[in-house]
mmCIF file of all heavy atoms in Angstrom:
data_model
loop_
_atom_site.group_PDB
_atom_site.id
_atom_site.type_symbol
_atom_site.label_atom_id
_atom_site.label_comp_id
_atom_site.label_asym_id
_atom_site.label_seq_id
_atom_site.Cartn_x
_atom_site.Cartn_y
_atom_site.Cartn_z
ATOM 1 N N ALA A 1 -103.516 55.905 -40.759
ATOM 2 C CA ALA A 1 -102.975 57.258 -40.754
ATOM 3 C C ALA A 1 -101.583 57.235 -40.057
ATOM 4 O O ALA A 1 -101.415 56.603 -39.033
ATOM 5 C CB ALA A 1 -103.915 58.195 -40.034
ATOM 6 N N GLY A 2 -100.636 57.834 -40.715
ATOM 7 C CA GLY A 2 -99.293 57.825 -40.219
ATOM 8 C C GLY A 2 -98.378 56.814 -40.925
ATOM 9 O O GLY A 2 -97.159 56.856 -40.739
ATOM 10 N N TYR A 3 -98.957 55.920 -41.738
ATOM 11 C CA TYR A 3 -98.156 55.008 -42.490
ATOM 12 C C TYR A 3 -97.224 55.785 -43.443
ATOM 13 O O TYR A 3 -97.627 56.839 -43.978
ATOM 14 C CB TYR A 3 -99.020 54.055 -43.313
ATOM 15 C CG TYR A 3 -99.536 52.824 -42.617
ATOM 16 C CD1 TYR A 3 -99.678 52.784 -41.196
ATOM 17 C CD2 TYR A 3 -99.869 51.672 -43.287
ATOM 18 C CE1 TYR A 3 -100.165 51.656 -40.556
ATOM 19 C CE2 TYR A 3 -100.353 50.562 -42.641
ATOM 20 C CZ TYR A 3 -100.487 50.548 -41.295
ATOM 21 O OH TYR A 3 -100.974 49.434 -40.647
ATOM 22 N N GLU A 4 -96.053 55.264 -43.684
ATOM 23 C CA GLU A 4 -95.140 55.844 -44.634
ATOM 24 C C GLU A 4 -95.651 55.584 -46.048
ATOM 25 O O GLU A 4 -96.163 54.477 -46.323
ATOM 26 C CB GLU A 4 -93.752 55.179 -44.440
ATOM 27 C CG GLU A 4 -92.655 55.784 -45.196
ATOM 28 C CD GLU A 4 -91.330 55.105 -44.840
ATOM 29 O OE1 GLU A 4 -91.169 53.930 -45.155
ATOM 30 O OE2 GLU A 4 -90.540 55.819 -44.228
ATOM 31 N N VAL A 5 -95.547 56.561 -46.905
ATOM 32 C CA VAL A 5 -95.987 56.411 -48.333
ATOM 33 C C VAL A 5 -94.738 56.458 -49.186
ATOM 34 O O VAL A 5 -93.980 57.424 -49.137
ATOM 35 C CB VAL A 5 -96.997 57.518 -48.712
ATOM 36 C CG1 VAL A 5 -97.412 57.337 -50.175
ATOM 37 C CG2 VAL A 5 -98.201 57.457 -47.803
ATOM 38 N N ALA A 6 -94.565 55.417 -50.018
ATOM 39 C CA ALA A 6 -93.359 55.306 -50.849
ATOM 40 C C ALA A 6 -93.728 55.240 -52.305
ATOM 41 O O ALA A 6 -94.544 54.417 -52.703
ATOM 42 C CB ALA A 6 -92.552 54.064 -50.436
ATOM 43 N N ALA A 7 -93.100 56.099 -53.121
ATOM 44 C CA ALA A 7 -93.223 56.013 -54.563
ATOM 45 C C ALA A 7 -92.218 54.976 -55.035
ATOM 46 O O ALA A 7 -91.459 54.398 -54.252
ATOM 47 C CB ALA A 7 -92.922 57.392 -55.184
ATOM 48 N N THR A 8 -92.168 54.751 -56.346
ATOM 49 C CA THR A 8 -91.242 53.718 -56.907
ATOM 50 C C THR A 8 -89.781 54.131 -56.731
ATOM 51 O O THR A 8 -88.915 53.293 -56.719
ATOM 52 C CB THR A 8 -91.526 53.464 -58.415
ATOM 53 O OG1 THR A 8 -91.404 54.716 -59.085
ATOM 54 C CG2 THR A 8 -92.908 52.880 -58.584
ATOM 55 N N ASP A 9 -89.537 55.435 -56.579
ATOM 56 C CA ASP A 9 -88.153 55.900 -56.483
ATOM 57 C C ASP A 9 -87.822 56.591 -55.153
ATOM 58 O O ASP A 9 -86.828 57.276 -55.027
ATOM 59 C CB ASP A 9 -87.847 56.859 -57.621
ATOM 60 C CG ASP A 9 -88.807 58.077 -57.642
ATOM 61 O OD1 ASP A 9 -89.802 58.073 -56.915
ATOM 62 O OD2 ASP A 9 -88.505 59.044 -58.425
ATOM 63 N N GLY A 10 -88.624 56.362 -54.128
ATOM 64 C CA GLY A 10 -88.285 56.909 -52.812
ATOM 65 C C GLY A 10 -89.500 57.209 -51.963
ATOM 66 O O GLY A 10 -90.648 57.106 -52.417
ATOM 67 N N ILE A 11 -89.228 57.653 -50.765
ATOM 68 C CA ILE A 11 -90.298 57.966 -49.795
ATOM 69 C C ILE A 11 -90.899 59.333 -50.104
ATOM 70 O O ILE A 11 -90.192 60.289 -50.366
ATOM 71 C CB ILE A 11 -89.690 57.994 -48.371
ATOM 72 C CG1 ILE A 11 -89.036 56.633 -48.035
ATOM 73 C CG2 ILE A 11 -90.770 58.327 -47.344
ATOM 74 C CD1 ILE A 11 -89.962 55.449 -48.081
ATOM 75 N N LEU A 12 -92.242 59.416 -50.057
ATOM 76 C CA LEU A 12 -92.950 60.662 -50.238
ATOM 77 C C LEU A 12 -93.180 61.356 -48.955
ATOM 78 O O LEU A 12 -93.041 62.577 -48.834
ATOM 79 C CB LEU A 12 -94.334 60.421 -50.895
ATOM 80 C CG LEU A 12 -94.378 60.122 -52.364
ATOM 81 C CD1 LEU A 12 -95.806 59.884 -52.794
ATOM 82 C CD2 LEU A 12 -93.780 61.278 -53.150
ATOM 83 N N GLY A 13 -93.634 60.615 -47.960
ATOM 84 C CA GLY A 13 -93.980 61.204 -46.674
ATOM 85 C C GLY A 13 -94.842 60.264 -45.858
ATOM 86 O O GLY A 13 -94.746 59.059 -46.030
ATOM 87 N N ARG A 14 -95.748 60.842 -45.066
ATOM 88 C CA ARG A 14 -96.667 60.063 -44.228
ATOM 89 C C ARG A 14 -98.101 60.329 -44.603
ATOM 90 O O ARG A 14 -98.464 61.465 -44.959
ATOM 91 C CB ARG A 14 -96.454 60.448 -42.762
ATOM 92 C CG ARG A 14 -95.055 60.202 -42.276
ATOM 93 C CD ARG A 14 -95.038 59.173 -41.180
ATOM 94 N NE ARG A 14 -93.657 58.861 -40.794
ATOM 95 C CZ ARG A 14 -93.155 57.664 -40.933
ATOM 96 N NH1 ARG A 14 -93.878 56.691 -41.348
ATOM 97 N NH2 ARG A 14 -91.935 57.438 -40.550
ATOM 98 N N LEU A 15 -98.928 59.324 -44.460
ATOM 99 C CA LEU A 15 -100.351 59.453 -44.765
ATOM 100 C C LEU A 15 -100.982 60.290 -43.637
ATOM 101 O O LEU A 15 -100.953 59.914 -42.482
ATOM 102 C CB LEU A 15 -101.021 58.081 -44.867
ATOM 103 C CG LEU A 15 -102.498 58.075 -45.069
ATOM 104 C CD1 LEU A 15 -102.859 58.716 -46.421
ATOM 105 C CD2 LEU A 15 -103.031 56.663 -45.012
ATOM 106 N N ASP A 16 -101.590 61.383 -44.019
ATOM 107 C CA ASP A 16 -102.209 62.317 -43.029
ATOM 108 C C ASP A 16 -103.719 62.080 -42.979
ATOM 109 O O ASP A 16 -104.320 62.145 -41.904
ATOM 110 C CB ASP A 16 -101.936 63.776 -43.367
ATOM 111 C CG ASP A 16 -100.558 64.191 -43.031
ATOM 112 O OD1 ASP A 16 -99.896 63.518 -42.198
ATOM 113 O OD2 ASP A 16 -100.089 65.211 -43.557
ATOM 114 N N ASP A 17 -104.370 61.897 -44.103
ATOM 115 C CA ASP A 17 -105.835 61.873 -44.182
ATOM 116 C C ASP A 17 -106.311 61.200 -45.454
ATOM 117 O O ASP A 17 -105.517 60.802 -46.288
ATOM 118 C CB ASP A 17 -106.374 63.309 -44.101
ATOM 119 C CG ASP A 17 -107.715 63.407 -43.419
ATOM 120 O OD1 ASP A 17 -108.362 62.345 -43.221
ATOM 121 O OD2 ASP A 17 -108.105 64.520 -43.065
ATOM 122 N N PHE A 18 -107.611 61.070 -45.559
ATOM 123 C CA PHE A 18 -108.244 60.460 -46.694
ATOM 124 C C PHE A 18 -109.299 61.415 -47.285
ATOM 125 O O PHE A 18 -109.948 62.129 -46.523
ATOM 126 C CB PHE A 18 -108.976 59.170 -46.288
ATOM 127 C CG PHE A 18 -108.111 58.180 -45.593
ATOM 128 C CD1 PHE A 18 -107.988 58.185 -44.202
ATOM 129 C CD2 PHE A 18 -107.449 57.221 -46.293
ATOM 130 C CE1 PHE A 18 -107.176 57.285 -43.554
ATOM 131 C CE2 PHE A 18 -106.656 56.285 -45.655
ATOM 132 C CZ PHE A 18 -106.504 56.327 -44.284
ATOM 133 N N ILE A 19 -109.492 61.384 -48.583
ATOM 134 C CA ILE A 19 -110.604 62.094 -49.233
ATOM 135 C C ILE A 19 -111.577 61.002 -49.648
ATOM 136 O O ILE A 19 -111.254 60.173 -50.460
ATOM 137 C CB ILE A 19 -110.122 62.897 -50.449
ATOM 138 C CG1 ILE A 19 -108.978 63.831 -50.086
ATOM 139 C CG2 ILE A 19 -111.294 63.639 -51.081
ATOM 140 C CD1 ILE A 19 -109.306 64.907 -49.070
ATOM 141 N N ILE A 20 -112.753 61.059 -49.052
ATOM 142 C CA ILE A 20 -113.738 60.006 -49.235
ATOM 143 C C ILE A 20 -114.967 60.545 -49.941
ATOM 144 O O ILE A 20 -115.466 61.639 -49.568
ATOM 145 C CB ILE A 20 -114.148 59.383 -47.890
ATOM 146 C CG1 ILE A 20 -112.895 58.769 -47.214
ATOM 147 C CG2 ILE A 20 -115.237 58.331 -48.046
ATOM 148 C CD1 ILE A 20 -113.108 58.287 -45.810
ATOM 149 N N GLN A 21 -115.488 59.851 -50.956
ATOM 150 C CA GLN A 21 -116.690 60.247 -51.663
ATOM 151 C C GLN A 21 -117.884 59.899 -50.796
ATOM 152 O O GLN A 21 -118.027 58.760 -50.373
ATOM 153 C CB GLN A 21 -116.753 59.495 -52.991
ATOM 154 C CG GLN A 21 -117.897 59.932 -53.885
ATOM 155 C CD GLN A 21 -117.775 59.352 -55.254
ATOM 156 O OE1 GLN A 21 -116.705 59.054 -55.746
ATOM 157 N NE2 GLN A 21 -118.926 59.155 -55.880
ATOM 158 N N ASP A 22 -118.708 60.874 -50.512
ATOM 159 C CA ASP A 22 -119.861 60.700 -49.630
ATOM 160 C C ASP A 22 -120.878 59.696 -50.123
ATOM 161 O O ASP A 22 -121.405 58.899 -49.347
ATOM 162 C CB ASP A 22 -120.596 62.037 -49.403
ATOM 163 C CG ASP A 22 -119.781 62.995 -48.585
ATOM 164 O OD1 ASP A 22 -118.800 62.572 -47.919
ATOM 165 O OD2 ASP A 22 -120.092 64.215 -48.571
ATOM 166 N N ALA A 23 -121.142 59.702 -51.402
ATOM 167 C CA ALA A 23 -122.228 58.878 -51.949
ATOM 168 C C ALA A 23 -122.016 57.387 -51.719
ATOM 169 O O ALA A 23 -122.950 56.675 -51.361
ATOM 170 C CB ALA A 23 -122.383 59.161 -53.454
ATOM 171 N N ASP A 24 -120.788 56.910 -51.905
ATOM 172 C CA ASP A 24 -120.549 55.449 -51.796
ATOM 173 C C ASP A 24 -119.419 55.084 -50.855
ATOM 174 O O ASP A 24 -119.003 53.960 -50.806
ATOM 175 C CB ASP A 24 -120.304 54.857 -53.171
ATOM 176 C CG ASP A 24 -119.087 55.497 -53.878
ATOM 177 O OD1 ASP A 24 -118.431 56.339 -53.281
ATOM 178 O OD2 ASP A 24 -118.849 55.123 -55.034
ATOM 179 N N TRP A 25 -118.909 56.050 -50.076
ATOM 180 C CA TRP A 25 -117.822 55.847 -49.114
ATOM 181 C C TRP A 25 -116.546 55.309 -49.742
ATOM 182 O O TRP A 25 -115.778 54.586 -49.136
ATOM 183 C CB TRP A 25 -118.282 54.894 -47.987
ATOM 184 C CG TRP A 25 -119.283 55.557 -47.095
ATOM 185 C CD1 TRP A 25 -120.643 55.627 -47.353
ATOM 186 C CD2 TRP A 25 -119.058 56.237 -45.886
ATOM 187 N NE1 TRP A 25 -121.238 56.319 -46.326
ATOM 188 C CE2 TRP A 25 -120.280 56.708 -45.409
ATOM 189 C CE3 TRP A 25 -117.925 56.472 -45.128
ATOM 190 C CZ2 TRP A 25 -120.402 57.394 -44.229
ATOM 191 C CZ3 TRP A 25 -118.058 57.176 -43.970
ATOM 192 C CH2 TRP A 25 -119.264 57.644 -43.537
ATOM 193 N N PHE A 26 -116.310 55.635 -51.027
ATOM 194 C CA PHE A 26 -115.111 55.200 -51.709
ATOM 195 C C PHE A 26 -114.002 56.175 -51.390
ATOM 196 O O PHE A 26 -114.123 57.364 -51.486
ATOM 197 C CB PHE A 26 -115.405 55.178 -53.239
ATOM 198 C CG PHE A 26 -114.251 54.637 -54.020
ATOM 199 C CD1 PHE A 26 -114.059 53.282 -54.135
ATOM 200 C CD2 PHE A 26 -113.397 55.467 -54.685
ATOM 201 C CE1 PHE A 26 -113.007 52.740 -54.866
ATOM 202 C CE2 PHE A 26 -112.342 54.989 -55.422
ATOM 203 C CZ PHE A 26 -112.122 53.617 -55.509
ATOM 204 N N VAL A 27 -112.830 55.625 -51.028
ATOM 205 C CA VAL A 27 -111.682 56.446 -50.765
ATOM 206 C C VAL A 27 -111.046 56.839 -52.111
ATOM 207 O O VAL A 27 -110.501 56.006 -52.800
ATOM 208 C CB VAL A 27 -110.637 55.688 -49.864
ATOM 209 C CG1 VAL A 27 -109.422 56.550 -49.632
ATOM 210 C CG2 VAL A 27 -111.260 55.261 -48.586
ATOM 211 N N ARG A 28 -111.142 58.116 -52.482
ATOM 212 C CA ARG A 28 -110.631 58.607 -53.752
ATOM 213 C C ARG A 28 -109.173 59.001 -53.706
ATOM 214 O O ARG A 28 -108.461 58.746 -54.654
ATOM 215 C CB ARG A 28 -111.460 59.818 -54.218
ATOM 216 C CG ARG A 28 -112.859 59.526 -54.589
ATOM 217 C CD ARG A 28 -112.929 58.997 -55.977
ATOM 218 N NE ARG A 28 -114.263 58.556 -56.269
ATOM 219 C CZ ARG A 28 -114.590 57.612 -57.142
ATOM 220 N NH1 ARG A 28 -113.665 57.002 -57.813
ATOM 221 N NH2 ARG A 28 -115.850 57.278 -57.303
ATOM 222 N N TYR A 29 -108.772 59.668 -52.634
ATOM 223 C CA TYR A 29 -107.413 60.186 -52.528
ATOM 224 C C TYR A 29 -106.840 59.954 -51.154
ATOM 225 O O TYR A 29 -107.541 59.911 -50.168
ATOM 226 C CB TYR A 29 -107.379 61.717 -52.817
ATOM 227 C CG TYR A 29 -107.830 62.050 -54.226
ATOM 228 C CD1 TYR A 29 -109.112 62.465 -54.471
ATOM 229 C CD2 TYR A 29 -106.950 62.003 -55.294
ATOM 230 C CE1 TYR A 29 -109.541 62.786 -55.735
ATOM 231 C CE2 TYR A 29 -107.341 62.350 -56.582
ATOM 232 C CZ TYR A 29 -108.648 62.733 -56.788
ATOM 233 O OH TYR A 29 -109.039 63.045 -58.048
ATOM 234 N N LEU A 30 -105.494 59.873 -51.118
ATOM 235 C CA LEU A 30 -104.758 59.866 -49.885
ATOM 236 C C LEU A 30 -104.103 61.212 -49.742
ATOM 237 O O LEU A 30 -103.485 61.725 -50.677
ATOM 238 C CB LEU A 30 -103.638 58.779 -49.914
ATOM 239 C CG LEU A 30 -104.081 57.366 -50.215
ATOM 240 C CD1 LEU A 30 -102.862 56.459 -50.295
ATOM 241 C CD2 LEU A 30 -105.078 56.865 -49.194
ATOM 242 N N ALA A 31 -104.254 61.866 -48.612
ATOM 243 C CA ALA A 31 -103.591 63.117 -48.348
ATOM 244 C C ALA A 31 -102.253 62.808 -47.636
ATOM 245 O O ALA A 31 -102.227 62.261 -46.550
ATOM 246 C CB ALA A 31 -104.438 64.027 -47.461
ATOM 247 N N VAL A 32 -101.163 63.114 -48.317
ATOM 248 C CA VAL A 32 -99.805 62.735 -47.882
ATOM 249 C C VAL A 32 -99.038 63.989 -47.473
ATOM 250 O O VAL A 32 -98.879 64.892 -48.285
ATOM 251 C CB VAL A 32 -99.052 61.959 -48.961
ATOM 252 C CG1 VAL A 32 -97.641 61.578 -48.507
ATOM 253 C CG2 VAL A 32 -99.845 60.726 -49.385
ATOM 254 N N GLY A 33 -98.609 64.007 -46.236
ATOM 255 C CA GLY A 33 -97.737 65.109 -45.765
ATOM 256 C C GLY A 33 -96.310 64.791 -46.154
ATOM 257 O O GLY A 33 -95.782 63.743 -45.804
ATOM 258 N N THR A 34 -95.701 65.684 -46.919
ATOM 259 C CA THR A 34 -94.382 65.431 -47.513
ATOM 260 C C THR A 34 -93.209 65.827 -46.612
ATOM 261 O O THR A 34 -92.076 65.519 -46.929
ATOM 262 C CB THR A 34 -94.220 66.137 -48.842
ATOM 263 O OG1 THR A 34 -94.369 67.536 -48.646
ATOM 264 C CG2 THR A 34 -95.251 65.625 -49.825
ATOM 265 N N GLY A 35 -93.475 66.500 -45.504
ATOM 266 C CA GLY A 35 -92.370 66.944 -44.674
ATOM 267 C C GLY A 35 -91.454 67.879 -45.428
ATOM 268 O O GLY A 35 -91.914 68.817 -46.080
ATOM 269 N N THR A 36 -90.172 67.696 -45.332
ATOM 270 C CA THR A 36 -89.214 68.582 -46.001
ATOM 271 C C THR A 36 -88.969 68.249 -47.485
ATOM 272 O O THR A 36 -88.387 69.042 -48.196
ATOM 273 C CB THR A 36 -87.856 68.556 -45.286
ATOM 274 O OG1 THR A 36 -87.377 67.213 -45.252
ATOM 275 C CG2 THR A 36 -87.998 69.049 -43.852
ATOM 276 N N TRP A 37 -89.443 67.084 -47.912
ATOM 277 C CA TRP A 37 -89.202 66.650 -49.285
ATOM 278 C C TRP A 37 -89.801 67.632 -50.326
ATOM 279 O O TRP A 37 -89.172 67.950 -51.318
ATOM 280 C CB TRP A 37 -89.731 65.245 -49.548
ATOM 281 C CG TRP A 37 -89.631 64.818 -50.981
ATOM 282 C CD1 TRP A 37 -88.505 64.484 -51.640
ATOM 283 C CD2 TRP A 37 -90.681 64.778 -51.926
ATOM 284 N NE1 TRP A 37 -88.806 64.190 -52.953
ATOM 285 C CE2 TRP A 37 -90.120 64.401 -53.137
ATOM 286 C CE3 TRP A 37 -92.052 65.045 -51.867
ATOM 287 C CZ2 TRP A 37 -90.881 64.244 -54.328
ATOM 288 C CZ3 TRP A 37 -92.787 64.920 -53.041
ATOM 289 C CH2 TRP A 37 -92.208 64.509 -54.213
ATOM 290 N N PHE A 38 -91.026 68.063 -50.127
ATOM 291 C CA PHE A 38 -91.709 68.944 -51.077
ATOM 292 C C PHE A 38 -92.090 70.222 -50.391
ATOM 293 O O PHE A 38 -93.247 70.691 -50.439
ATOM 294 C CB PHE A 38 -92.904 68.210 -51.648
ATOM 295 C CG PHE A 38 -93.540 68.857 -52.862
ATOM 296 C CD1 PHE A 38 -92.777 69.083 -53.970
ATOM 297 C CD2 PHE A 38 -94.881 69.184 -52.890
ATOM 298 C CE1 PHE A 38 -93.360 69.657 -55.106
ATOM 299 C CE2 PHE A 38 -95.464 69.757 -53.984
ATOM 300 C CZ PHE A 38 -94.721 69.988 -55.103
ATOM 301 N N ALA A 39 -91.158 70.828 -49.653
ATOM 302 C CA ALA A 39 -91.356 72.102 -48.958
ATOM 303 C C ALA A 39 -92.548 72.058 -47.977
ATOM 304 O O ALA A 39 -93.203 73.056 -47.796
ATOM 305 C CB ALA A 39 -91.524 73.212 -49.996
ATOM 306 N N GLY A 40 -92.757 70.883 -47.409
ATOM 307 C CA GLY A 40 -93.794 70.805 -46.382
ATOM 308 C C GLY A 40 -95.220 70.794 -46.902
ATOM 309 O O GLY A 40 -96.180 70.938 -46.139
ATOM 310 N N HIS A 41 -95.397 70.731 -48.220
ATOM 311 C CA HIS A 41 -96.746 70.700 -48.800
ATOM 312 C C HIS A 41 -97.386 69.321 -48.660
ATOM 313 O O HIS A 41 -96.699 68.337 -48.495
ATOM 314 C CB HIS A 41 -96.720 71.104 -50.277
ATOM 315 C CG HIS A 41 -96.351 72.529 -50.493
ATOM 316 N ND1 HIS A 41 -95.069 72.945 -50.683
ATOM 317 C CD2 HIS A 41 -97.129 73.647 -50.517
ATOM 318 C CE1 HIS A 41 -95.026 74.258 -50.852
ATOM 319 N NE2 HIS A 41 -96.264 74.715 -50.755
ATOM 320 N N ASN A 42 -98.671 69.303 -48.782
ATOM 321 C CA ASN A 42 -99.406 68.014 -48.840
ATOM 322 C C ASN A 42 -99.701 67.663 -50.286
ATOM 323 O O ASN A 42 -99.892 68.532 -51.130
ATOM 324 C CB ASN A 42 -100.714 68.090 -48.060
ATOM 325 C CG ASN A 42 -100.487 68.167 -46.571
ATOM 326 O OD1 ASN A 42 -99.424 67.845 -46.096
ATOM 327 N ND2 ASN A 42 -101.489 68.585 -45.814
ATOM 328 N N LEU A 43 -99.732 66.378 -50.552
ATOM 329 C CA LEU A 43 -100.066 65.865 -51.878
ATOM 330 C C LEU A 43 -101.358 65.038 -51.831
ATOM 331 O O LEU A 43 -101.556 64.335 -50.796
ATOM 332 C CB LEU A 43 -98.951 64.954 -52.412
ATOM 333 C CG LEU A 43 -97.615 65.552 -52.731
ATOM 334 C CD1 LEU A 43 -96.618 64.460 -53.106
ATOM 335 C CD2 LEU A 43 -97.743 66.569 -53.872
ATOM 336 N N LEU A 44 -102.198 65.137 -52.846
ATOM 337 C CA LEU A 44 -103.316 64.286 -52.959
ATOM 338 C C LEU A 44 -102.950 63.165 -53.949
ATOM 339 O O LEU A 44 -102.653 63.458 -55.096
ATOM 340 C CB LEU A 44 -104.546 65.004 -53.468
ATOM 341 C CG LEU A 44 -105.191 65.966 -52.463
ATOM 342 C CD1 LEU A 44 -106.446 66.641 -53.083
ATOM 343 C CD2 LEU A 44 -105.554 65.300 -51.166
ATOM 344 N N VAL A 45 -102.918 61.948 -53.511
ATOM 345 C CA VAL A 45 -102.501 60.810 -54.313
ATOM 346 C C VAL A 45 -103.730 59.986 -54.623
ATOM 347 O O VAL A 45 -104.426 59.523 -53.677
ATOM 348 C CB VAL A 45 -101.446 59.957 -53.583
ATOM 349 C CG1 VAL A 45 -101.062 58.748 -54.378
ATOM 350 C CG2 VAL A 45 -100.208 60.776 -53.228
ATOM 351 N N PRO A 46 -104.065 59.753 -55.899
ATOM 352 C CA PRO A 46 -105.233 58.911 -56.226
ATOM 353 C C PRO A 46 -104.986 57.483 -55.718
ATOM 354 O O PRO A 46 -103.928 56.940 -55.822
ATOM 355 C CB PRO A 46 -105.261 58.920 -57.776
ATOM 356 C CG PRO A 46 -104.374 60.035 -58.195
ATOM 357 C CD PRO A 46 -103.397 60.268 -57.087
ATOM 358 N N THR A 47 -106.046 56.915 -55.176
ATOM 359 C CA THR A 47 -105.935 55.556 -54.635
ATOM 360 C C THR A 47 -105.679 54.517 -55.726
ATOM 361 O O THR A 47 -105.164 53.453 -55.425
ATOM 362 C CB THR A 47 -107.187 55.137 -53.823
ATOM 363 O OG1 THR A 47 -108.353 55.315 -54.626
ATOM 364 C CG2 THR A 47 -107.306 55.982 -52.582
#
């Protein structure tokens, strides 16, 4: 948590959290805080 997340064309933001499937503990999504890049919204990025 807190690692920088980078797309192919630039930085998205920082890893805030994980969305984990209860049944098998599989990490489905990364919750990325975008800061000022995307108006401070969070993105769910498929793993």
